[in-house]
C-alpha cells in the first residue's frame, strides 16, 4: 500500500480531491493522506474481476455469492500488503486516532454518488488501522455496492477503492449541510446537527436539530427536538460562510459533512448532491411573494386561499379570453393549452400565499414586446430575482401578431373600461344590500355569493390590463426622466385618491370626537359588545357619522383581504379604538397633497398624466376590491352562524378553517368537521412560527415544511447605511418603531415615529398618516407604501434588503426619501429635523 503524492491528485478520486482543494483554499480540513492498494494496479486483478463478472452475467453465481467472494478476496489482499505508516506510528507510540474513509474512483460523481454505500470507520486507533482499511476496501463489493455499480453500467475492473486516512476530530456537534434541500427546494439550505460525531447523526442514533437558511433573504431558523443541540450564533454564521465559499469552489448543490469543537468548525468532506431527478437542475416551480405579500402578509386560512385561488383563476382566464378570443376552434385550443396556467396562478405553502411566478411569465410572454414589458413589470412589483425562467409557449408567430393587436386595443381602452367598472360596482353594492340579511339561510347565501362573484369576475380582468397600463407609463416616465432621479417623486398628487378617503374621513371623525368631550366620555365607557349595540341604537349625529363610516369604509383595515381578519365592520369596537387613538393627530384637511410639478416637454407631461390615471384607477379598484371582500366575509360569517345553529361548527370563526367547497357542501353532507378544523388550526399555529421567505424554487412538486419547534436566528448586522427605492421626498431624522405584527401595534404608538416594517397593505393608511416616515423591506414604486406616503407627503424608501435585521424599535435613523437611503445613527438622537 502506497501513499499517493500531491503530483498524482487526478487519480485520487473526487472525495479526496475535494479535500485537497478545500485545504488549498485555507478551509479548516483535518490533516489527511490518501492511500492506494497495490493489488488494484496488478493485471491479474483485472483478469480476476472480469472473470467474476462474467460468472454473474452468465447466471452461474448470484450477486450475493459474488459479494461474499469478492469481500473475502479484497480483505485478504489488503492484509498481506505492507503499510509502512502503521509501523511508523506504532514506533512513535502515537495516541492519535483516525477516521478511515472511502475515496473510490467511481464515487461522488454527478451521476453516481454511491451515497452511504461504502464503509467509514471513525476513532480508529493505530493498531486497528489495517483492519479498518480492509473493511473500507471490501465495502466496494458489498451486495448493495455491486448492485449500484452494475445498475450504472460500471464494470468491476473499472472501480478502484482508494482510502483516506484523516486525523480524527472528536466534535461536540456534527452534521450534514445541504446547499439545496434534497427533497427538491433549490434555494433552501438545510443542515442536520446532532451531539457527538457524524455517523451518529446519519444513523439517527442521536436527537437532531434541523437548521434552515435562505440566502436570498438572509433568514435562518432551526427546529429542535427533545434533547437536540441548540446551535450558537457563531456556529450558524460559520456554517453560512462555509457554504458560500464551498459553492464558489464546487458549484451550487453540495452535501457537506462537518463537525464543531465548541465553536471551531472543521469540514470533513464535500460532494455534489445527486438525488435530484436527472436533468432537472433548474426550478420547475417558482413561488414568489413580491407584491402579493402586501395583500396577504403572514399566514392565511384555507377559506381565504380557496376563495382567492378561484378568483385569480377566473380573472386570468378572463384576461386570456380578452387577449386570445374565445370564438374559433383555434382560439379555444390556445385557451385550453393555458388552462393549467390559469388554475395555478397562486399557491399556498405552510399557510403563506405566493405567486406561481413562472405562470405569470408565461402569460406575460403572450404580450407584444414582452422582453421590454417584463422588466418594467418586475420593477413595478419589486421582483428582486429578475431572470426569466423558460416557459412553454403555445402560440404560433401569426397568432402572436393577432394577440398583439388585441392587447394593444385593450391597453388603450383601459381607462375607459376602468371608468365603466367603477360605475358597475355600485350595482354590485345595490345587489348585496337588497339581498343580504343576517337571518338569510345558507342556500340563499350561497346563491347571492355566486351572483356577486359572477358579476365581479365578468369584467374584473380589466384591472390587470390597467395594472399593465400603470406599469408601462410609470416605467416610461422613469426612462424619460433618467437625468432627474427626483422626477419619480412627481407621481404624487392624485386628486382625491380613493385609498386616502378612509384616512381623511377617520381624521375628521377623530377631530369631532375630540371636540365633544361628553361624547368622547361615552365612547371611552363602552366595552366589547356594547359598541355594536350603541352604534345601532344611539341617535346622536356623531354616532350616525361613525356608523356611516363603518358601512362605507369599515373593511379598510390592515390585512383586509384575508377573510378571517377582524374589520371595523365586523368588530366595531376596533373602530372606536382607532378613532380615540387619533386624538392628537393633525387635521386631515391639512394633509399634504404632494407635488404638482409639470414639464415643458409635452411627451413627458402626457406620459405622466397617463401614469397618474393608471395609478388612480389601480388604487380605486383596490378599494372596491376591499368592499367586495367585505361582502364575502359577511356572507361566510353568516353561513358560519347557520352551521353553529345546526351544531356542525362550534364557533362562527371555524368557518375560516374550511375550504369553500367543504363549506358549501357541509349542510347537505351532515359532516362534523371539528376534528379537521382543529387539526388545521394546530398546523397554522406552527406555520406561523416560520419566517416569511420571498422566493421558493422547486424541482418537481411543491412540498411543505414539517414544523416542530421553530427558533428564529436573528442576524446581528453592523451595517449602518442601506439603499432602496426612493418613493417620497424629504430627509428626516427620527426614532424607529419596528412593526413585525400589525395586530400588536396602535396608531398612537406610531405617531411621530419612523415605521420600519417588511411590507404594508392598503389598510395601513391610518398608521402611515400618524407616522413621520416609512421604510419597508419589500415593495416597489407602485406599492401601497410608496403611493400613500407620496400622497401624505412623508418620506419613504422601500425595497431595502436587510433593514428588519439591522433595526429595532428605539433606534435612531436618518431617512432620505429622495436619495433612497437609510442611515442608522449610532448614539444619535431624534431631533425631529426635516428638510
Amino acid at each position: 500500500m502506497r501513499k499517493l503524492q500531491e503530483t498524482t491528485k487526478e487519480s485520487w478520486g473526487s472525495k479526496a480531491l475535494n479535500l485537497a482543494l478545500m485545504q488549498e483554499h485555507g478551509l479548516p480540513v483535518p490533516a489527511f493522506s490518501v492511500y492506494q492498494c497495490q493489488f488494484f494496479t496488478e493485471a491479474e486483478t483485472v483478469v480476476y474481476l472480469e472473470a467474476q463478472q462474467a460468472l454473474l452475467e452468465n447466471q452461474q453465481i448470484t450477486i450475493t455469492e459474488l459479494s461474499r467472494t469478492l469481500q473475502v478476496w479484497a480483505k485478504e489482499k489488503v492484509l498481506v500488503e505492507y503499510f509502512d505508516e502503521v509501523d511508523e506510528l506504532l514506533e512513535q507510540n502515537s495516541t492519535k486516532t483516525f477516521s478511515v474513509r472511502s475515496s473510490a474512483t467511481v464515487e461522488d460523481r454527478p451521476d453516481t454518488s454511491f451515497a452511504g454505500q461504502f464503509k467509514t470507520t471513525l476513532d480508529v486507533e493505530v493498531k486497528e488501522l489495517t483492519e479498518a482499511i480492509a473493511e473500507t476496501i471490501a465495502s466496494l463489493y458489498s451486495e448493495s455496492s455491486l448492485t449500484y455499480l452494475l445498475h450504472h453500467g460500471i464494470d468491476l475492473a473499472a472501480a478502484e477503492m482508494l482510502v483516506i486516512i484523516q486525523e480524527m476530530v472528536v466534535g461536540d456537534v456534527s452534521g450534514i449541510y445541504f446547499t439545496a434541500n434534497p427533497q427538491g427546494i433549490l434555494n433552501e439550505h438545510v443542515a442536520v446537527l446532532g451531539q457527538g460525531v457524524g455517523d451518529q447523526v446519519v444513523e439517527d442514533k442521536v436527537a437532531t436539530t434541523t437548521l434552515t437558511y435562505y440566502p436570498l433573504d438572509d433568514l435562518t431558523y432551526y427546529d429542535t427536538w427533545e434533547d437536540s443541540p441548540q446551535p450558537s450564533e457563531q456556529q450558524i454564521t460559520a456554517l453560512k460562510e462555509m457554504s458560500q465559499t464551498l459553492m464558489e469552489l464546487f458549484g451550487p448543490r453540495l452535501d457537506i459533512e462537518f463537525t464543531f469543537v465548541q465553536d471551531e468548525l472543521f469540514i470533513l468532506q464535500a460532494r455534489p448532491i445527486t438525488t435530484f431527478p436527472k436533468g432537472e437542475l433548474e426550478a420547475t416551480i417558482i413561488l414568489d411573494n413580491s407584491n402579493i405579500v402586501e395583500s396577504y402578509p403572514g399566514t392565511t386560512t384555507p377559506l381565504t386561499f380557496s376563495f382567492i385561488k378561484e378568483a385569480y383563476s377566473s380573472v386570468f382566464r378572463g384576461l386570456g379570453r380578452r387577449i386570445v378570443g374565445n370564438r374559433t376552434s383555434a382560439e379555444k385550443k390556445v385557451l385550453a393549452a393555458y388552462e393549467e396556467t390559469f388554475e395555478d396562478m397562486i399557491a399556498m405553502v405552510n399557510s403563506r400565499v405566493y405567486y406561481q411566478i413562472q405562470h405569470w411569465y408565461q402569460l406575460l410572454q403572450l404580450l407584444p414586446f414582452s422582453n421590454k414589458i417584463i422588466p418594467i413589470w418586475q420593477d413595478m412589483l419589486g421582483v428582486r430575482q429578475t431572470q426569466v425562467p423558460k416557459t412553454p409557449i403555445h402560440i404560433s408567430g401569426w397568432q402572436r401578431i393577432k394577440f398583439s393587436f388585441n392587447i394593444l386595443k385593450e391597453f388603450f381602452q383601459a381607462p375607459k373600461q376602468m371608468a365603466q367598472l367603477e360605475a358597475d360596482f355600485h350595482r354590485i353594492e345595490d345587489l348585496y344590500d337588497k339581498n343580504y340579511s343576517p337571518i338569510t339561510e345558507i342556500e340563499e347565501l350561497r346563491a347571492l355569493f355566486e351572483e356577486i362573484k359572477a358579476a365581479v369576475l365578468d369584467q374584473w380582468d380589466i384591472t390587470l390590463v390597467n395594472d399593465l397600463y400603470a406599469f408601462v407609463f410609470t416605467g416610461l416616465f422613469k426612462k424619460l426622466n433618467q437625468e432627474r432621479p427626483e422626477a419619480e417623486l412627481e407621481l404624487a398628487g392624485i386628486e382625491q385618491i380613493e385609498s386616502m378617503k378612509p384616512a381623511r374621513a377617520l381624521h375628521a371623525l377623530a377631530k369631532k370626537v375630540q371636540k365633544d368631550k361628553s361624547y368622547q366620555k361615552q365612547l371611552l365607557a363602552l366595552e366589547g359588545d356594547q359598541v355594536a349595540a350603541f352604534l345601532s341604537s344611539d341617535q346622536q349625529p356623531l354616532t350616525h357619522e361613525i356608523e356611516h363610516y363603518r358601512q362605507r369604509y369599515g373593511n379598510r383595515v390592515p390585512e383586509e383581504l384575508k377573510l378571517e381578519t377582524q374589520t371595523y365592520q365586523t368588530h366595531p369596537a376596533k373602530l372606536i379604538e382607532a378613532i380615540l387613538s387619533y386624538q392628537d393627530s393633525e387635521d386631515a384637511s391639512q394633509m399634504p397633497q404632494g407635488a404638482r410639478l409639470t414639464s415643458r416637454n409635452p411627451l413627458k407631461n402626457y406620459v405622466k398624466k397617463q401614469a397618474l390615471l393608471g395609478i388612480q384607477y389601480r388604487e380605486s379598484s383596490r378599494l372596491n376590491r376591499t368592499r367586495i371582500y367585505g361582502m364575502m366575509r359577511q356572507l361566510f360569517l353568516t353561513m358560519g352562524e347557520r352551521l353553529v345553529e345546526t351544531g356542525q361548527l362550534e364557533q362562527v370563526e371555524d368557518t375560516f378553517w374550511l375550504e369553500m367547497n367543504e363549506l358549501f357542501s357541509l349542510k347537505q353532507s351532515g359532516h362534523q368537521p371539528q376534528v379537521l378544523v382543529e387539526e388545521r388550526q394546530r398546523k397554522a399555529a406552527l406555520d406561523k412560527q416560520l419566517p416569511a421567505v420571498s422566493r421558493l424554487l422547486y424541482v418537481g412538486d411543491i412540498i411543505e415544511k414539517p414544523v416542530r419547534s421553530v427558533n428564529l436566528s436573528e442576524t446581528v448586522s453592523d451595517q449602518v447605511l442601506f439603499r432602496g427605492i426612493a418613493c417620497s421626498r424629504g430627509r428626516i431624522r427620527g426614532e424607529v418603531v419596528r412593526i413585525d405584527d400589525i395586530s400588536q401595534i396602535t396608531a398612537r404608538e406610531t405617531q411621530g415615529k419612523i415605521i420600519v416594517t417588511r411590507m404594508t397593505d392598503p389598510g395601513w393608511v391610518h398608521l402611515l398618516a400618524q407616522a413621520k416616515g416609512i421604510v419597508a423591506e419589500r415593495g416597489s414604486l407602485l406599492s401601497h407604501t410608496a403611493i400613500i406616503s407620496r400622497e401624505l407627503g412623508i418620506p419613504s424608501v422601500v425595497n431595502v434588503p436587510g433593514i428588519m435585521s439591522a433595526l429595532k424599535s428605539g433606534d435612531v435613523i436618518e431617512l432620505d426619501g429622495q436619495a433612497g437611503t437609510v442611515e442608522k445613527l449610532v448614539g444619535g438622537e431624534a431631533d425631529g429635523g426635516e428638510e
Side-chain angles (χ1 to χ4, degrees):
M1 179 171 284
R2 67 189 182 98
K3 180 177 179 180
L4 298 180
Q5 303 302 313
E6 294 280 324
T7 54
T8 60
K9 273 196 229 175
E10 64 277 0
S11 64
W12 281 16
S14 61
K15 186 182 290 185
L17 183 59
N18 287 352
L19 286 173
L21 286 172
M22 289 189 286
Q23 203 173 59
E24 286 175 8
H25 282 80
L27 289 162
V29 176
F32 71 97
S33 299
V34 185
Y35 291 86
Q36 180 186 47
C37 285
Q38 296 293 100
F39 73 86
F40 277 113
T41 63
E42 296 169 354
E44 64 184 52
T45 295
V46 175
V47 173
Y48 176 73
L49 291 174
E50 288 176 345
Q52 292 298 313
Q53 185 168 341
L55 291 175
L56 179 68
E57 291 170 351
N58 294 328
Q59 299 183 348
Q60 293 176 270
I61 58 173
T62 66
I63 197 164
T64 302
E65 292 168 334
L66 177 62
S67 172
R68 189 182 303 119
T69 298
L70 291 181
Q71 286 191 72
V72 170
W73 167 79
K75 286 182 180 179
E76 289 176 350
K77 286 285 188 180
V78 172
L79 294 175
V80 298
E81 289 206 8
Y82 177 64
F83 184 20
D84 55 0
E85 184 154 317
V86 173
D87 291 340
E88 291 173 11
L89 291 171
L90 284 172
E91 289 174 7
Q92 298 168 12
N93 293 315
S94 175
T95 57
K96 290 182 180 178
T97 59
F98 302 87
S99 60
V100 178
R101 303 176 184 276
S102 65
S103 186
T105 54
V106 293
E107 186 178 3
D108 289 349
R109 292 176 175 177
D111 54 348
T112 55
S113 69
F114 283 88
Q117 299 294 320
F118 302 140
K119 177 75 173 179
T120 293
T121 309
L122 303 179
D123 208 19
V124 179
E125 295 181 5
V126 174
K127 61 184 178 182
E128 299 166 339
L129 272 175
T130 303
E131 181 63 32
I133 292 168
E135 291 289 339
T136 296
I137 289 176
S139 69
L140 179 62
Y141 305 117
S142 70
E143 190 170 341
S144 62
S145 297
L146 288 175
T147 301
Y148 194 97
L149 273 169
L150 299 173
H151 173 76
H152 285 84
I154 302 171
D155 292 335
L156 298 184
E160 178 182 354
M161 177 66 80
L162 287 82
V163 176
I164 300 168
I165 298 179
Q166 192 170 41
E167 288 187 13
M168 184 70 193
V169 175
V170 182
D172 309 303
V173 173
S174 303
I176 308 295
Y177 190 108
F178 298 99
T179 60
N181 188 322
Q183 291 181 288
I185 310 178
L186 297 182
N187 66 326
E188 178 183 272
H189 293 200
V190 179
V192 180
L193 306 88
Q195 300 283 2
V197 294
D199 63 336
Q200 296 184 30
V201 176
V202 174
E203 296 170 14
D204 290 327
K205 292 181 179 179
V206 294
T208 57
T209 292
T210 301
L211 176 75
T212 306
Y213 170 50
Y214 298 96
L216 175 66
D217 300 295
D218 196 20
L219 285 175
T220 310
Y221 71 90
Y222 54 92
D223 204 349
T224 55
W225 184 251
E226 295 176 347
D227 297 324
S228 62
Q230 179 170 318
S232 68
E233 288 301 322
Q234 293 92 328
Q235 290 174 336
I236 292 172
T237 299
L239 286 172
K240 292 194 293 189
E241 291 175 351
M242 169 204 72
S243 70
Q244 298 305 313
T245 303
L246 290 182
M247 285 192 296
E248 290 173 9
L249 271 179
F250 302 124
R253 299 177 188 110
L254 301 174
D255 170 346
I256 306 160
E257 186 178 335
F258 65 89
T259 192
F260 281 102
V261 179
Q262 295 181 349
D263 284 335
E264 186 178 3
L265 173 66
F266 292 91
I267 305 170
L268 305 178
Q269 65 179 34
R271 61 187 180 190
I273 300 171
T274 57
T275 54
F276 291 119
K278 189 173 182 180
E280 292 189 18
L281 297 180
E282 292 186 3
T284 54
I285 296 174
I286 305 173
L287 303 188
D288 193 294
N289 71 359
S290 298
N291 187 254
I292 199 171
V293 74
E294 290 187 26
S295 300
Y296 303 99
T299 56
T300 299
T301 61
L303 182 62
T304 292
F305 179 71
S306 63
F307 173 70
I308 62 175
K309 187 175 189 293
E310 182 173 331
Y312 270 90
S313 296
S314 298
V315 168
F316 276 91
R317 194 175 288 110
L319 179 65
R321 288 194 292 266
R322 191 179 291 268
I323 296 173
V324 174
N326 192 31
R327 292 169 298 181
T328 69
S329 59
E331 291 169 347
K332 291 178 179 179
K333 184 178 179 181
V334 171
L335 289 175
Y338 283 94
E339 182 57 32
E340 184 180 345
T341 301
F342 299 142
E343 282 295 318
D344 292 315
M345 298 304 296
I346 62 172
M348 186 161 74
V349 178
N350 288 105
S351 304
R352 296 179 188 271
V353 181
Y354 292 85
Y355 289 141
Q356 284 218 50
I357 207 164
Q358 80 278 4
H359 288 166
W360 290 69
Y361 284 123
Q362 192 174 6
L363 294 183
L364 285 168
Q365 287 170 344
L366 286 172
L367 302 178
F369 314 111
S370 59
N371 61 328
K372 301 293 184 184
I373 289 173
I374 286 175
I376 294 173
W377 177 83
Q378 291 171 327
D379 188 30
M380 294 302 101
L381 262 67
V383 176
R384 290 180 182 173
Q385 291 188 303
T386 56
Q387 69 274 21
V388 179
K390 295 178 182 177
T391 56
I393 304 297
H394 304 288
I395 60 174
S396 66
W398 166 245
Q399 286 174 318
R400 181 180 292 280
I401 294 172
K402 178 186 173 184
F403 299 161
S404 296
F405 279 111
N406 290 347
I407 192 61
L408 285 171
K409 181 184 74 173
E410 297 292 342
F411 182 85
F412 287 106
Q413 290 182 353
K416 180 180 177 182
Q417 295 189 63
M418 285 298 295
Q420 184 61 48
L421 182 67
E422 294 267 315
D424 291 343
F425 178 74
H426 298 299
R427 289 197 286 273
I428 294 172
E429 287 185 305
D430 292 341
L431 173 67
Y432 175 81
D433 292 339
K434 182 179 177 181
N435 292 279
Y436 170 74
S437 167
I439 60 172
T440 307
E441 291 299 322
I442 282 185
E443 292 78 8
E444 297 170 280
L445 290 167
R446 181 174 182 184
L448 179 57
F449 166 84
E450 296 292 350
E451 192 172 358
I452 292 173
K453 185 180 78 169
V456 170
L457 298 181
D458 182 54
Q459 51 187 331
W460 200 260
D461 59 286
I462 191 58
T463 63
L464 299 177
V465 181
N466 181 71
D467 282 352
L468 182 64
Y469 191 91
F471 291 173
V472 167
F473 278 107
T474 301
L476 287 174
F477 180 79
K478 289 174 61 180
K479 193 172 185 65
L480 289 172
N481 289 277
Q482 285 179 332
E483 75 283 1
R484 294 190 309 122
E486 72 278 3
E488 292 183 6
L489 305 174
E490 295 177 20
L491 294 180
I494 306 169
E495 293 290 350
Q496 297 299 312
I497 186 170
E498 285 293 318
S499 290
M500 284 304 303
K501 288 180 180 178
R504 298 188 190 285
L506 197 57
H507 271 271
L509 278 175
K511 287 300 179 183
K512 290 180 180 180
V513 171
Q514 182 183 23
K515 291 177 181 178
D516 192 334
K517 300 300 182 185
S518 175
Y519 189 77
Q520 178 185 1
K521 188 175 181 180
Q522 281 183 278
L523 293 185
L524 287 168
L526 295 174
E527 295 181 1
D529 295 339
Q530 295 175 339
V531 173
F534 175 80
L535 293 178
S536 63
S537 62
D538 186 71
Q539 298 302 310
Q540 297 178 73
L542 260 180
T543 304
H544 287 305
E545 287 190 46
I546 292 173
E547 184 63 9
H548 175 75
Y549 178 92
R550 188 167 76 93
Q551 296 304 322
R552 188 64 183 157
Y553 299 122
N555 292 296
R556 175 44 53 99
V557 297
E559 304 190 6
E560 61 193 19
L561 298 186
K562 296 181 181 181
L563 296 173
E564 63 272 16
T565 294
Q566 296 180 353
T567 67
Y568 297 154
Q569 190 175 75
T570 60
H571 292 72
K574 290 182 175 291
L575 174 57
I576 300 304
E577 180 185 343
I579 290 172
L580 294 173
S581 72
Y582 270 98
Q583 296 272 322
D584 300 319
S585 62
E586 60 181 301
D587 193 328
S589 65
Q590 300 303 312
M591 286 185 186
Q593 296 296 314
R596 299 288 191 274
L597 304 181
T598 58
S599 169
R600 294 180 180 178
N601 185 321
L603 177 61
K604 290 183 179 180
N605 286 334
Y606 171 78
V607 168
K608 178 183 176 183
K609 180 180 178 181
Q610 302 313 308
L612 292 175
L613 186 62
I615 293 169
Q616 181 175 359
Y617 278 129
R618 185 170 187 256
E619 289 302 302
S620 61
S621 68
R622 291 172 91 176
L623 185 57
N624 288 340
R625 181 184 60 180
T626 299
R627 291 169 178 151
I628 292 166
Y629 275 62
M631 299 174 201
M632 298 303 182
R633 180 182 293 109
Q634 195 62 60
L635 290 174
F636 287 130
L637 284 170
T638 307
M639 289 182 193
E641 290 174 4
R642 301 292 89 83
L643 293 168
V644 169
E645 291 166 3
T646 60
Q648 289 175 278
L649 292 178
E650 291 184 4
Q651 300 180 67
V652 173
E653 289 76 14
D654 291 342
T655 308
F656 300 123
W657 299 99
L658 301 173
E659 296 177 2
M660 275 201 309
N661 63 325
E662 295 169 340
L663 178 63
F664 290 155
S665 64
L666 200 54
K667 188 171 182 180
Q668 292 80 3
S669 68
H671 291 161
Q672 301 291 330
Q674 206 59 41
V675 172
L676 179 61
V677 166
E678 291 171 3
E679 178 185 324
R680 288 175 176 172
Q681 287 172 335
R682 284 192 294 271
K683 177 184 181 301
L686 290 171
D687 288 343
K688 193 173 183 178
Q689 300 177 54
L690 294 172
V693 180
S694 63
R695 177 168 280 212
L696 291 166
L697 307 178
Y698 293 95
V699 172
D701 297 327
I702 294 172
I703 61 172
E704 291 221 330
K705 299 288 293 181
V707 184
R708 297 180 301 203
S709 176
V710 171
N711 299 271
L712 291 178
S713 172
E714 290 286 349
T715 303
V716 179
S717 173
D718 56 2
Q719 188 175 347
V720 294
L721 183 63
F722 302 82
R723 296 186 183 277
I725 298 174
C727 290
S728 182
R729 69 178 70 207
R731 188 170 67 188
I732 58 169
R733 178 178 294 189
E735 184 180 325
V736 165
V737 55
R738 184 179 185 271
I739 301 179
D740 288 293
D741 185 349
I742 185 64
S743 66
Q744 303 299 314
I745 201 81
T746 66
R748 190 181 296 277
E749 292 173 89
T750 67
Q751 192 168 14
K753 305 286 182 65
I754 300 176
I755 293 175
V756 175
T757 189
R758 296 198 188 280
M759 80 296 292
T760 70
D761 65 37
W764 282 53
V765 171
H766 68 290
L767 293 183
L768 298 181
Q770 299 278 82
K772 191 176 183 180
I774 171 78
V775 181
E777 195 165 68
R778 305 301 305 275
S780 67
L781 195 62
L782 288 188
S783 66
H784 187 78
T785 306
I787 291 171
I788 298 302
S789 62
R790 288 195 291 268
E791 189 63 16
L792 290 170
I794 62 173
S796 67
V797 179
V798 303
N799 215 313
V800 187
I803 196 70
M804 288 289 281
S805 299
L807 298 179
K808 63 182 184 302
S809 292
D811 285 343
V812 177
I813 62 174
E814 185 168 273
L815 167 63
D816 191 329
Q818 182 163 318
T821 60
V822 180
E823 184 177 2
K824 181 180 179 181
L825 303 176
V826 181
E829 295 183 1
D831 62 6
E834 185 169 349
E835 298 180 20

